[in-house]
Amino acid sequence: MTTSDDTRPRDSAAVDPDGAETGRGSGGERRVGPYRLGERLGAGGMGEVFKGFDVRLERPVALKNVLAGRQESAVARRRLLREARAMAKVHHPSIAQIHDWVEAEDGDWFVMELVTGSTLRQVIDGKGALPWRRAAALGAEIAEGLEAAHAAGLVHRDLKPANVMVTPAGRAKILDFGLAKGSAATPPTDAPAFDDDLSATGAGQLIGTVSAMSPEQALGLPVDARTDLFALGILLYELVTAVSPFRAENAVSTLARICNREAEPLETFNPDLPPAFSELVLELLAKEKDQRPVSAESVAHRLRGLLGESRAERTAEPTGGAGPVGDGSSQRVTRDFSSSGRRSSERRLMALAVLELASDDPDDDEILLEEMPAFQALVDELASVHGGHIESRTGHRVVLCFGHPIASADDALRSVRLAVEAVRRVRGDLEEVRARVALHAGPVLLLVEGEREILVLGTTLERAQALISTVGSADAEAPPIVASGEVERLTRDVYDWGPVDAPGHPSADLGVFHLLLMV
């Protein structure tokens, strides 16, 4: 068993999924498909991480070159691609977003949102223990991100301070789902092992970071969502004590402590912690999975309760965390952006359109890969025609906003027009695939600081993402366009909508409508 230093990104981070060709552009610059490769940010268990630039959309990204050992067989590569697609469907402000997957001569590349800020590892190393309120606020954001991943059937398996970034706005973002796995899966025997300062390499060994492992991981047993909860307990423990609860002089001793020794009471290091906080952390660190909290959602709820916040308040008033890193206050971003002159915040009604490409054969992923460039080019064209702002582009799904940068009375109407044309064009121009669209209108927060604008979509985006799941399969009987009651109300004078109220339909009780007389 060998060890190596943690060389993950330090100044900016975040990265993971999707594929293309590697080559040289003008001036000798290195290209990975449409992405220009920049400075090396670091390396981890999956490969090297680079800063990059998307020359099509003119935005910075992060790219990770998947190590050859992670893709040495066709089975391993298909598994990576399948997991990348699953992760691309997880949309949450506490998770770094996947943009693309590129297949190149030197291996597969994940393309992700570039997240700037400091990792929690850097924060702890530089500032020591955080005030418990700040730790609880960050922990709640992390738990909510895990909740979204677990709902998609994914387990991170390597949650640790080096894999959580705190953005300049103070928000926690989970990075590097490179070791993520379906919740019912057993760690593959052909994957490399650890990737941290207490980590081992070699086939057929454990997956993850030794000091952040759960007992079931240490014993090589199947993992599920409760494995991430144990890691969250370790992370919270370290945030308020600056001490890793099970860390020992070597990896073997650390694994033994994880399996056999209880963590020292938090009060030993920090006597000012609320008993309820300490009790929650000890529950998360239970050796038996069944003794841990039932879900990441319940953990977030309890942490919010300790801070005197409800989940509804948190989502209604989006935040970037509880002030600067190391600050014990619970000030919300809406207040942070309320000073006169340079900073302001504005709530506005905005329409969102979630477009997704689906194959006629749900088991055939290859056709989606073939038609994806044409689909994305079509969406770009329609966005320019109908005035939609592309907020995110992840795999076979695109989210567009209507009402930014300038709000208009016909934002919802333009979203429907784009949806209708997208469905018609895909049916007419692309083979064996269909477009499905979900539309929703709701309040968002626009934060302005100098020349910078930040859209906080919050629950409005969550509702739009939930609606797309009600569209169903891509067969001919499934309505290709659904909308919330808000969009139906704003556009009923122009378009005919019918309620989706079939008994047993997943959207029957959500006030969802589908467009009548379509195409």
Side-chain angles (χ1 to χ4, degrees), residues 263-291:
E264 289 288 329
L266 281 84
E267 292 76 8
T268 303
F269 306 97
N270 190 339
D272 298 326
L273 293 174
F277 182 93
S278 300
E279 290 169 7
L280 174 57
V281 173
L282 290 180
E283 285 181 40
L284 289 166
L285 295 179
K287 304 299 184 186
E288 297 296 329
K289 292 190 291 185
D290 293 341
Q291 296 176 4

Side-chain angles (χ1 to χ4, degrees), residues 263-340:
E264 289 288 329
L266 281 84
E267 292 76 8
T268 303
F269 306 97
N270 190 339
D272 298 326
L273 293 174
F277 182 93
S278 300
E279 290 169 7
L280 174 57
V281 173
L282 290 180
E283 285 181 40
L284 289 166
L285 295 179
K287 304 299 184 186
E288 297 296 329
K289 292 190 291 185
D290 293 341
Q291 296 176 4
R292 297 171 202 156
V294 295
S295 67
E297 180 181 15
S298 69
V299 175
H301 178 76
R302 291 170 65 177
L303 289 170
R304 297 279 181 226
L306 285 171
L307 295 169
E309 300 177 358
S310 69
R311 180 75 177 265
E313 289 170 342
R314 185 70 176 181
T315 53
E317 205 170 348
T319 82
V325 174
D327 183 359
S329 71
S330 59
Q331 186 175 8
R332 287 188 169 88
V333 162
T334 47
R335 295 178 186 173
D336 185 38
F337 278 81
S338 63
S339 58
S340 61

Side-chain angles (χ1 to χ4, degrees), residues 346-390:
E346 173 193 344
R347 289 189 179 278
R348 66 168 59 169
L349 181 70
M350 187 173 292
L352 299 185
V354 181
L355 288 82
E356 190 170 86
L357 194 65
S359 170
D360 288 343
D361 181 0
D363 296 324
D364 185 2
D365 292 331
E366 297 301 324
I367 185 64
L368 287 178
L369 292 176
E370 292 176 8
E371 300 289 6
M372 197 63 60
F375 173 67
Q376 293 187 347
L378 172 61
V379 174
D380 289 342
E381 175 190 339
L382 296 180
S384 65
V385 171
H386 296 282
H389 163 72
I390 296 179

Side-chain angles (χ1 to χ4, degrees), residues 107-405:
D108 296 335
W109 291 76
F110 291 94
V111 183
M112 288 188 70
E113 172 188 3
L114 180 68
V115 182
T116 60
S118 301
T119 67
L120 285 180
R121 175 79 278 143
Q122 291 172 292
V123 173
I124 296 170
D125 290 346
K127 299 179 180 293
L130 301 185
W132 77 264
R133 294 185 65 85
R134 180 59 177 142
L138 290 169
E141 291 176 346
I142 295 167
E144 288 161 359
L146 290 176
E147 174 194 343
H150 295 166
L154 291 170
V155 180
H156 191 288
R157 295 198 301 173
D158 198 28
L159 183 69
K160 59 184 178 181
N163 275 343
V164 178
M165 184 75 76
V166 182
T167 70
R171 176 156 200 114
K173 270 190 180 282
I174 304 171
L175 313 178
D176 203 348
F177 272 77
L179 296 182
K181 200 67 179 174
S183 60
T186 301
T189 58
D190 62 345
F194 315 117
D195 65 356
D196 197 46
D197 50 337
L198 277 179
S199 46
T201 57
Q205 299 184 32
L206 306 178
I207 302 292
T209 300
V210 175
S211 57
M213 278 190 174
S214 67
E216 57 269 22
Q217 276 181 295
L219 295 171
L221 300 174
V223 302
D224 59 24
R226 292 166 294 183
T227 294
D228 285 344
L229 297 188
F230 189 92
L232 178 58
I234 292 177
L235 189 149
L236 287 171
Y237 190 107
E238 192 167 356
L239 283 180
V240 296
T241 67
V243 175
S244 182
F246 304 110
R247 196 180 193 87
E249 62 275 8
N250 57 54
V252 173
S253 298
T254 298
L255 291 174
R257 287 186 179 185
I258 288 171
C259 295
N260 303 313
R261 183 183 295 185
E262 299 297 331
E264 289 288 329
L266 281 84
E267 292 76 8
T268 303
F269 306 97
N270 190 339
D272 298 326
L273 293 174
F277 182 93
S278 300
E279 290 169 7
L280 174 57
V281 173
L282 290 180
E283 285 181 40
L284 289 166
L285 295 179
K287 304 299 184 186
E288 297 296 329
K289 292 190 291 185
D290 293 341
Q291 296 176 4
R292 297 171 202 156
V294 295
S295 67
E297 180 181 15
S298 69
V299 175
H301 178 76
R302 291 170 65 177
L303 289 170
R304 297 279 181 226
L306 285 171
L307 295 169
E309 300 177 358
S310 69
R311 180 75 177 265
E313 289 170 342
R314 185 70 176 181
T315 53
E317 205 170 348
T319 82
V325 174
D327 183 359
S329 71
S330 59
Q331 186 175 8
R332 287 188 169 88
V333 162
T334 47
R335 295 178 186 173
D336 185 38
F337 278 81
S338 63
S339 58
S340 61
R342 298 185 307 275
R343 296 175 178 175
S344 65
S345 64
E346 173 193 344
R347 289 189 179 278
R348 66 168 59 169
L349 181 70
M350 187 173 292
L352 299 185
V354 181
L355 288 82
E356 190 170 86
L357 194 65
S359 170
D360 288 343
D361 181 0
D363 296 324
D364 185 2
D365 292 331
E366 297 301 324
I367 185 64
L368 287 178
L369 292 176
E370 292 176 8
E371 300 289 6
M372 197 63 60
F375 173 67
Q376 293 187 347
L378 172 61
V379 174
D380 289 342
E381 175 190 339
L382 296 180
S384 65
V385 171
H386 296 282
H389 163 72
I390 296 179
E391 174 62 20
S392 65
R393 187 194 306 266
T394 56
H396 59 298
R397 178 180 293 185
V398 181
V399 177
L400 297 99
C401 302
F402 294 82
H404 179 72

Side-chain angles (χ1 to χ4, degrees), residues 494-519:
V494 178
Y495 289 97
D496 292 324
W497 297 92
V500 178
D501 55 4
H505 192 283
S507 62
D509 60 348
L510 297 179
V512 180
F513 297 82
H514 69 94
L515 199 58
L516 300 174
L517 305 175
M518 231 332 276
V519 190

